[in-house]
Amino acid sequence: MGLALDEQKETDEVINSNGYTFIMEKSLMQTAGQVEIDGSQFGFQISSNLNAGANDQGCSSCSSC
């Protein structure tokens, strides 16, 4: 999972936390389960119940990174 700037759509869930507004597509939110976003001076770290799988190559396997 990653963060990106986006406009809210009707299919999105909105979460406000610590002065930030996050949106996530409702169907993804149901699949991901609990999502935690931790912020630091170095950026954000996202964790959820989604498992990338043992064969996932991460960003090296996609052309949009």
Side-chain angles (χ1 to χ4, degrees):
M1 297 182 85
L3 295 176
L5 296 174
D6 199 0
E7 296 292 324
Q8 182 180 346
K9 300 172 197 70
E10 288 183 23
T11 57
D12 291 334
E13 185 76 30
V14 179
I15 300 96
N16 293 299
S17 179
N18 295 325
Y20 294 99
T21 301
F22 298 96
I23 59 173
M24 179 183 274
E25 188 173 294
K26 291 177 185 179
S27 62
L28 176 59
M29 188 168 229
Q30 289 177 340
T31 302
Q34 182 175 346
V35 177
E36 293 183 24
I37 303 172
D38 296 315
S40 74
Q41 64 186 13
F42 302 108
F44 292 97
Q45 180 176 350
I46 306 164
S47 59
S48 73
N49 293 331
L50 290 176
N51 184 352
N55 294 326
D56 187 18
Q57 298 298 313
C59 217
S60 63
S61 65
C62 68
S63 59
S64 63
C65 294

